[in-house]
Amino acid sequence: MLKAGESVRYELSPARRAYLVVASGRIEVNGEPVGPLDGVAITKVAAAQISALEDSELVMVDAG
């Protein structure tokens, strides 16, 4: 859970993959807006910067 205005940086190597689903709320992932029930594949980046635009619940899987 991220409260509105909070952010977190999730470190990955460019060879790793992650999948993020917004259960509720609105966020930005690396500057891109993501809304409720949207999913995001995170690939080929060293890190994902996740910022909450409103109180948000997230589910993230690091797929290796």
Side-chain angles (χ1 to χ4, degrees), residues 1-6 21-28 34-36 50-59:
M1 175 133 201
L2 285 178
K3 297 285 185 187
E6 292 181 336
V21 176
V22 181
S24 65
R26 290 184 317 112
I27 64 169
E28 286 183 344
V34 185
I50 303 164
S51 302
L53 302 175
E54 57 189 50
D55 291 354
S56 303
E57 287 187 65
L58 313 172
V59 177

Side-chain angles (χ1 to χ4, degrees), residues 4-63:
E6 292 181 336
S7 64
V8 63
R9 182 176 172 88
Y10 187 78
E11 301 291 330
L12 295 162
S13 75
R16 296 185 67 83
R17 300 175 310 277
Y19 191 73
L20 174 70
V21 176
V22 181
S24 65
R26 290 184 317 112
I27 64 169
E28 286 183 344
V29 178
N30 293 344
E32 296 294 323
V34 185
L37 304 180
D38 286 344
V40 178
I42 302 169
T43 62
K44 300 179 185 173
V45 296
Q49 183 69 34
I50 303 164
S51 302
L53 302 175
E54 57 189 50
D55 291 354
S56 303
E57 287 187 65
L58 313 172
V59 177
M60 185 170 197
V61 175
D62 186 333

